[in-house]
Amino acid sequence: MTEPTESTEPLTSPSGTARNPGDTGTTQRPGTFLDDAALGQLRPLSFTVAYRMLGSVAEAEDVVQEALTRVSQTPDVRNPDAFVTTVTTRIAIDVLRSARVRRESYVGEWLPEPLVGPFPSLPVAMATPSPDVARHAELADDLSTAFLVLLETLTPTERAAFLLHDVLGFPHSQAADVIGTSEVAARQLASRARRRIAASTTAQAPASNTNSNPNSNPTQAHLRAQAQPPAPAQPPAQTHADTPAPARSTRPRSAADRARAEQLVSRFLAACEEGAVDSFLELLTEDVVLTGDGGGNVPQGMSIVRPVAGRVTVARMLATFISRGAPLHFERALVGGEPGLLIVADDAVGGGLIGTWSFEVSDGLLSGIRGVINPRKLGHLGPLADLDRLQAALRRELEERTAARRAAAHRADDQPSDS
């Protein structure tokens, strides 16, 4: 792949609004290189591009390091945001191609490495104030677990074309330059990506909700809005091929949606404390899917290998998990920008993070639960739990319960029967 050339065209911000290079806050005098402060401003933008492409924090950080190194060695960069986006995307395409080979042999289901928190270091646009609530909602949607799982259905170039045009607002002509193809090919890649995503969201939509409000699931509704087939081509004199994608203006996400999601997670947390099957049944859609990602790196019995579907089946599995009496607790957090839970080991077994749960909501109920407990995907979040120690505690708890039941049965047998 050839070294990218520095763009002289205005860059469009992730919200789809065009801005001039002077608005980025990272311009420089002719004949100079970007200094450390300017490179530091570019790092969050490079990371969000790389993470959207790869769904892996570790791989994204490696890509960012290489991209910033290349940018730092290029003189007279007139549009740093556009240039770092170009370099990051091109490197990420190569990394994703090799990563796909590894993911084909992955043990169990592959889920993205979770981001936890409000993303204060990941602004929507560079050199702008901290994102407000609406801006944060936009970024959270694009970094959510559900969104990244859908992007896994795309080829590396389809993913790049879709993200550049539909998410970052690049015209197809600029996206083509980034990917290294023609404008027509870039347009086709993005269109094919929309169709794949539309097919995936349709397949994942609960059958029981076919006639319900199409915006009841914010993530799926947003993706359906972006995935509509492109309008028929206009004559050349009227074409709008080089205008940014307008997807943001129709985003269904609202403060009320997020409040309902927060409330649902609160009810789910209460159900975990109760541990009753009926408590979970009240929160799940008929075809809810529970997915776990242990990656073959957790003790046997601590993660599911295949997704489990169905309201009753998932409710029973969750209740069984809670009833095991594991020395752990749950903490509320934003996982992938959405209300979620952290699974944390109790101090009695050394503490530390066990995993994360992220949720997908449809019609006020949970339609998807995704748990990541693969320790190789959680190291960036802080100290991890000792899973072997946790399993040993679970085994002792099971042995004690079994012994108590046998003792109770023995006492019952020893009591004289009424004559």
Side-chain angles (χ1 to χ4, degrees):
M1 182 171 291
T2 59
E3 185 70 18
T5 56
E6 206 275 297
S7 171
T8 59
E9 300 178 43
L11 174 69
T12 53
S13 73
S15 62
T17 304
R19 65 177 185 268
N20 294 318
D23 296 333
T24 65
T26 53
T27 55
Q28 59 195 123
R29 295 188 304 274
T32 60
F33 295 83
L34 293 176
D35 58 21
D36 290 343
L39 292 172
Q41 283 187 296
L42 294 174
R43 181 175 291 276
L45 173 60
S46 181
F47 180 83
T48 58
V49 172
Y51 181 73
R52 285 179 178 119
M53 281 290 296
L54 302 169
S56 166
V57 173
E59 291 173 346
E61 289 176 342
D62 290 341
V63 167
V64 169
Q65 189 61 38
E66 183 175 351
L68 293 182
T69 297
R70 294 188 188 182
V71 172
S72 70
Q73 296 171 349
T74 305
D76 301 333
V77 177
R78 292 182 294 278
N79 193 331
D81 283 5
F83 190 48
V84 78
T85 299
T86 297
V87 176
T88 301
T89 302
R90 290 184 178 180
I91 297 172
I93 288 174
D94 290 338
V95 172
L96 186 56
R97 283 172 175 155
S98 62
R100 285 295 172 85
V101 176
R102 296 193 302 272
R103 291 175 189 178
E104 288 176 358
S105 59
Y106 193 81
V107 178
E109 292 292 307
W110 184 94
L111 292 176
E113 293 180 16
L115 290 179
V116 173
F119 312 140
S121 62
L122 304 180
V124 174
M126 299 305 300
T128 61
S130 299
D132 57 20
V133 174
R135 272 284 180 262
H136 170 71
E138 291 183 3
L139 180 62
D141 281 348
D142 294 337
L143 297 176
S144 70
T145 303
F147 184 83
L148 293 171
V149 167
L150 283 173
L151 292 184
E152 281 295 303
T153 65
L154 309 179
T155 67
T157 50
E158 287 172 348
R159 190 164 180 162
F162 175 78
L163 289 173
L164 287 168
H165 182 263
D166 289 54
V167 175
L168 294 177
F170 275 54
H172 286 301
S173 57
Q174 286 186 333
D177 291 338
V178 174
I179 299 171
T181 188
S182 67
E183 180 178 346
V184 172
R187 185 191 304 277
Q188 291 174 341
L189 287 168
S191 178
R192 192 182 306 139
R194 293 187 202 100
R195 289 195 297 270
R196 286 176 183 251
I197 288 177
S200 296
T201 54
T202 300
Q204 292 176 10
S208 59
N209 295 335
T210 302
N211 298 319
S212 62
N213 179 7
N215 288 342
S216 59
N217 183 326
T219 300
Q220 290 188 357
H222 163 52
L223 291 173
R224 290 192 197 102
Q226 287 191 342
Q228 294 301 316
Q234 300 293 327
Q238 302 178 18
T239 184
H240 298 285
D242 288 331
T243 57
R248 298 295 177 192
S249 62
T250 59
R251 180 183 296 276
R253 179 71 69 182
S254 67
D257 292 326
R258 292 190 173 276
R260 284 191 290 269
E262 288 279 4
Q263 183 182 42
L264 192 56
V265 172
S266 295
R267 293 174 59 195
F268 183 87
L269 186 57
C272 289
E273 294 174 351
E274 295 174 8
V277 173
D278 289 344
S279 299
F280 289 110
L281 286 174
E282 297 174 355
L283 305 176
L284 308 176
T285 62
E286 287 295 337
D287 53 358
V288 61
V289 178
L290 172 64
T291 307
D293 181 349
N297 297 311
V298 299
Q300 187 175 7
M302 294 192 67
S303 176
I304 58 175
V305 178
R306 297 181 182 84
V308 176
R311 177 169 168 259
V312 174
T313 303
V314 171
R316 288 175 176 170
M317 178 165 287
L318 291 171
T320 299
F321 169 73
I322 298 301
S323 67
R324 295 173 67 186
L328 56 82
H329 60 278
F330 302 94
E331 296 179 4
R332 301 188 59 155
L334 290 175
V335 180
E338 303 287 348
L341 293 174
L342 304 182
I343 310 172
V344 182
D346 291 340
D347 290 340
V349 289
L353 180 66
I354 298 172
T356 64
W357 269 346
S358 59
F359 304 96
E360 192 164 1
V361 179
S362 179
D363 280 349
L365 297 173
L366 298 179
S367 58
I369 305 172
R370 297 181 175 93
V372 177
I373 64 170
N374 183 349
R376 296 183 181 178
K377 293 187 173 184
L378 301 171
H380 62 284
L381 298 177
L384 302 182
D386 185 335
L387 297 184
D388 291 329
R389 185 174 177 181
L390 183 66
Q391 186 185 48
L394 280 169
R395 190 180 297 114
R396 287 195 299 272
E397 174 70 17
L398 177 61
E399 291 172 351
E400 291 174 0
R401 290 189 180 189
T402 301
R405 285 196 297 269
R406 289 175 177 173
H410 182 70
R411 287 194 299 271
D413 290 340
D414 288 344
Q415 290 181 356
S417 59
D418 294 333
S419 56

